[in-house]
Amino acid sequence: MNLSTLARTSLLHLSPLRSTSSTRDNATESVAIEGRNINFSVNTRQGRIVPILKDCSIRIPSGQLWMLLGPNGCGKSTLLKVVMPTVEADVAFGLGRLNLTNSEVRSRVSKALEAVGMSEYLQRPVQTLSGGQKQRVAIAGALAEACKVLLLDELTTFLDESDQMGVIKAVQNLLDISGEVTALWVTHRLEELEYADGAVYMEDGRVIMHGDAASINKFIKAKQSSYINRINS
Ligand SMILES: Nc1ncnc2c1ncn2[C@@H]1O[C@H](COP(=O)(O)OP(=O)(O)OP(=O)(O)O)[C@@H](O)[C@H]1O
């Protein structure tokens, strides 16, 4: 079925949540996934609204294995996608171990998302983002944890040109804003050198050249044309 838009209303929490358990000892147990009254509909191209999830509520305690069952087409996969973490939960994930207050967590998440140009995606499920947007959210996660060094391995390999630029610009922007974050970016794409302050070129386990990005670009291009000339001769 072709869709023009997706509509979703839900109240969803992903860990860490505390709730009163109905278990034998009435102990407080941690809830990893909780969705309340989740509704999800799709709008067809013909303008018809098709309800898929109808007022679903689930509560899954931390550290347990639960199964989701039901006949084909009843909505299991859709429910799973809708309970996928939001951008906000994803960026906040690594902060769980830092013993921060909720307002500190919110402030860090919002600053990190701002730095990568993703503020307006706070409540979007990560799974609905493009590849480049997901990379930017991952970078925001590192930033929220106050990482001072980012080691970024081929972030843009499978991205189209606009996503590729979005990620490069997000990294550049956060370096400009923070003034104290350093990034080392692994790439095969020579055109990305235009955005680098410096570069390192390796061959066969050795650093062959280390310096300004323009000189390294020139060096690699000269090597490439000499190689092409050799195989054409
Ligand atoms: N994007 C969509 N557009 C239109 N209909 C959709 C969309 N996503 C899901 N549906 C419909 O919603 C219903 C639930 O689909 P879903 O894949 O969640 O079911 P399921 O329980 O996981 O099925 P199965 O057991 O066959 O994998 C199906 O009728 C499906 O065709």
Side-chain angles (χ1 to χ4, degrees):
M1 186 184 299
N2 285 319
L3 297 173
S4 52
T5 54
L6 292 175
R8 182 172 74 105
T9 59
S10 67
L11 177 58
L12 170 75
H13 294 287
L14 289 138
S15 74
L17 276 186
R18 310 294 294 180
S19 77
T20 306
S21 143
S22 56
T23 52
R24 284 179 305 259
D25 57 1
N26 215 16
T28 300
E29 76 179 357
S30 163
V31 175
I33 304 167
E34 183 175 22
R36 280 182 232 147
N37 311 108
I38 298 171
N39 292 283
F40 179 85
S41 309
V42 293
N43 288 349
T44 66
R45 270 212 181 130
Q46 296 74 33
R48 220 159 45 86
I49 294 175
V50 182
I52 309 287
L53 299 178
K54 299 150 198 164
D55 214 23
C56 295
S57 296
I58 56 166
R59 168 178 288 234
I60 315 294
S62 298
Q64 299 189 7
L65 170 62
W66 286 47
M67 309 262 167
L68 184 56
L69 302 111
N72 293 125
C74 71
K76 301 179 294 293
S77 302
T78 306
L79 181 62
L80 216 60
K81 284 180 195 155
V82 171
V83 301
M84 286 283 180
T86 59
V87 165
E88 182 178 29
D90 192 87
V91 175
F93 181 76
L95 301 178
R97 60 190 168 75
L98 297 183
N99 212 13
L100 303 171
T101 64
N102 283 345
S103 79
E104 282 170 329
V105 169
R106 268 198 296 273
S107 156
R108 282 200 189 200
V109 168
S110 116
K111 281 186 191 150
L113 284 172
E114 198 178 318
V116 298
M118 292 289 292
S119 297
E120 70 271 35
Y121 293 87
L122 201 71
Q123 294 307 327
R124 276 271 293 269
V126 172
Q127 164 258 341
T128 65
L129 302 178
S130 74
Q133 289 169 335
K134 283 181 187 151
Q135 298 285 26
R136 283 150 69 186
V137 168
I139 294 167
L143 272 186
E145 288 184 64
C147 293
K148 293 283 184 284
V149 172
L150 300 176
L151 302 176
L152 308 166
D153 200 351
E154 302 208 39
L155 283 192
T156 55
T157 303
F158 299 108
L159 304 183
D160 65 23
E161 205 176 321
S162 107
D163 259 358
Q164 177 196 9
M165 283 307 123
V167 175
I168 294 176
K169 292 202 167 129
V171 171
Q172 260 193 336
N173 185 40
L174 73 88
L175 263 57
D176 288 346
I177 291 172
S178 77
E180 54 177 10
V181 175
T182 305
L184 181 58
W185 169 289
V186 177
T187 187
H188 285 288
R189 292 177 155 182
L190 274 191
E191 73 269 18
E192 292 181 352
L193 276 175
E194 190 188 323
Y195 300 89
D197 297 308
V200 178
Y201 176 69
M202 288 184 70
E203 270 183 13
D204 195 23
R206 292 176 205 284
V207 170
I208 304 291
M209 205 176 165
H210 187 293
D212 71 276
S215 308
I216 300 226
N217 196 355
K218 215 164 135 191
F219 176 77
I220 297 171
K221 280 189 175 143
K223 271 184 88 82
Q224 286 175 338
S225 36
S226 120
Y227 175 73
I228 290 167
N229 289 342
R230 249 184 299 129
I231 55 173
N232 285 341
S233 61

